[in-house]
Amino acid sequence: RIIENSTGITQYVQDFHEQDFDVLHFEDMTAFINYADAYAKDPIELSGQLCEIKIVILPDRYGLLVKIHHIISDAWTVALLATQFNLILKGEEVTAYSYLDYCDSEKNYLESKRYLRDKEFFLGQLKQCEEPAFISKKKERTFDAARKVIIINTQQAKKIRDFAEKNEVSVFSIWATVLAVYMGRLKTDSEKFFIGTTVLNRYTEKDFNTAGMFINTVPVLLEANFKKTFIESLEKTEDTLMSVFRHQKYNYEDMITDVRKDNYNCDKLYDIVLSYMNATI
């Protein structure tokens, strides 16, 4: 739960109590999808219950519809909840931990030498690209979002995975390199630029079995060097990403605060984020 009042913002964990779930019946999948789309656009009040669960029944299947506030959940959590629900339905034991343990570990991190090393790494990256390059200078006046979905078929996906395996890189590195090429052609006056990427920020088995908001967003310094081949650029991107992932716990808000000390006009480092998720249920 989140409380906001004149003294500031406080978070706390409410004592457990059983809840009744709404049971929704739909004639077909189309009717359910239409309902779910409208339901998703109805905001959750920050001061209220931050997770809602409904039982969904269709003629040929059944399931659960979960709406959960991003302040207490990331994409991994959604996949984790689905996996845990499946185990419960099978009558199996579920391993789960308290998010408060993670909060304690974050406090320890902020006072650690690792925090200072992570900070030093990203400040070093910033010195290599002092002038951020943005796709657009237009300032959005709304938080409304629109989504375009492109589904890659199994054969195409296999080609991409095979290419990644052959060149000993991640699939994510391929997408990041493609994006670097695009940015390099779009911004011909910039050879280096930042994009954002979300990182899982989970390290232990305990982390992977804890529901909650773990992800962090970090800047990645990409390079568009058209004197290199695509494979050479891909290898460079892979090395860069591996370095970033080793320092992924450092908070982006702390980074921006550091940047403003030297350049008070800078309110962001990038305006495009490449997010890659491979959680399975």
Side-chain angles (χ1 to χ4, degrees):
R1 293 288 188 272
I2 307 291
I3 298 175
E4 185 175 8
N5 52 35
S6 58
T7 60
I9 299 174
T10 304
Q11 65 177 7
Y12 71 97
V13 177
Q14 188 182 51
D15 292 337
F16 172 78
H17 66 279
E18 290 191 355
Q19 300 177 52
D20 291 328
F21 293 166
D22 291 337
V23 180
L24 307 177
H25 294 261
F26 296 94
E27 294 180 357
D28 52 36
M29 182 59 76
T30 300
F32 165 64
I33 290 174
N34 290 337
Y35 173 87
D37 284 346
Y39 177 59
K41 292 172 184 174
D42 183 22
I44 295 178
E45 290 294 331
L46 189 60
S47 59
Q49 184 169 302
L50 298 175
C51 180
E52 299 175 1
I53 301 173
K54 299 179 186 292
I55 296 170
V56 175
I57 298 179
L58 285 87
D60 60 342
R61 69 188 77 183
Y62 59 89
L64 293 160
L65 178 61
V66 179
K67 181 159 74 171
I68 186 166
H69 201 294
H70 215 327
I71 203 166
I72 63 165
S73 169
D74 52 21
W76 183 271
T77 294
V78 176
L80 175 63
L81 291 179
T83 298
Q84 291 177 339
F85 276 130
N86 284 340
L87 290 172
I88 291 169
L89 289 171
K90 291 178 183 177
E92 297 181 20
E93 198 81 18
V94 171
T95 303
Y97 300 95
S98 170
Y99 187 73
L100 292 177
D101 295 341
Y102 169 69
C103 292
D104 289 337
S105 71
E106 282 294 284
K107 289 178 185 177
N108 294 333
Y109 167 70
L110 294 175
E111 299 170 356
S112 69
K113 291 182 179 179
R114 179 182 176 182
Y115 174 82
L116 296 176
R117 288 195 299 268
D118 293 346
K119 176 180 179 178
E120 184 179 354
F121 169 78
F122 282 109
L123 292 182
Q125 294 282 289
L126 293 172
K127 290 177 182 177
Q128 297 182 45
C129 181
E130 296 181 354
E131 187 66 35
F134 304 122
I135 280 190
S136 173
K137 293 182 178 180
K138 185 178 77 170
K139 288 194 175 183
E140 294 292 341
R141 300 182 180 276
T142 175
F143 290 109
D144 291 347
R147 175 175 296 177
K148 181 177 177 62
V149 178
I150 300 172
I151 297 175
I152 296 174
N153 65 41
T154 305
Q155 188 177 7
Q156 292 169 324
K158 184 178 184 305
K159 284 184 178 180
I160 294 168
R161 285 195 295 270
D162 289 347
F163 180 80
E165 186 176 345
K166 178 182 176 182
N167 291 282
E168 298 182 335
V169 298
S170 66
V171 172
F172 181 71
S173 292
I174 296 174
W175 297 125
T177 307
V178 170
L179 180 58
V181 173
Y182 171 73
M183 287 285 287
R185 292 186 173 179
L186 194 68
K187 301 289 182 180
T188 55
D189 58 339
S190 301
E191 288 189 357
K192 292 184 177 182
F193 38 81
F194 286 103
I195 66 163
T197 189
T198 52
V199 287
L200 196 56
N201 201 21
R202 295 171 187 257
Y203 297 91
T204 66
E205 182 183 356
K206 188 175 182 179
D207 292 341
F208 285 106
N209 285 287
T210 302
M213 181 61 179
F214 281 75
I215 64 165
N216 189 21
T217 304
V218 294
V220 178
L221 183 60
L222 294 181
E223 182 178 330
N225 186 338
F226 290 104
K227 293 179 182 178
K228 292 183 178 180
T229 66
F230 183 81
I231 297 297
E232 290 171 333
S233 296
L234 179 59
E235 291 171 348
K236 169 71 174 174
T237 301
E238 176 80 2
D239 290 342
T240 299
L241 287 170
M242 290 300 103
S243 297
V244 168
F245 293 156
R246 280 195 292 271
H247 300 277
Q248 64 179 272
K249 283 185 76 69
Y250 190 63
N251 190 278
Y252 180 65
E253 289 300 320
D254 290 349
M255 204 178 312
I256 288 295
T257 301
D258 293 331
V259 170
R260 286 177 184 149
K261 291 176 182 176
D262 298 324
N263 183 359
Y264 64 89
N265 288 322
C266 181
D267 62 344
K268 61 182 179 180
L269 297 176
Y270 51 81
D271 65 348
I272 185 168
V273 173
L274 184 63
S275 179
Y276 183 77
M277 188 188 80
N278 59 354
T280 56
I281 300 169

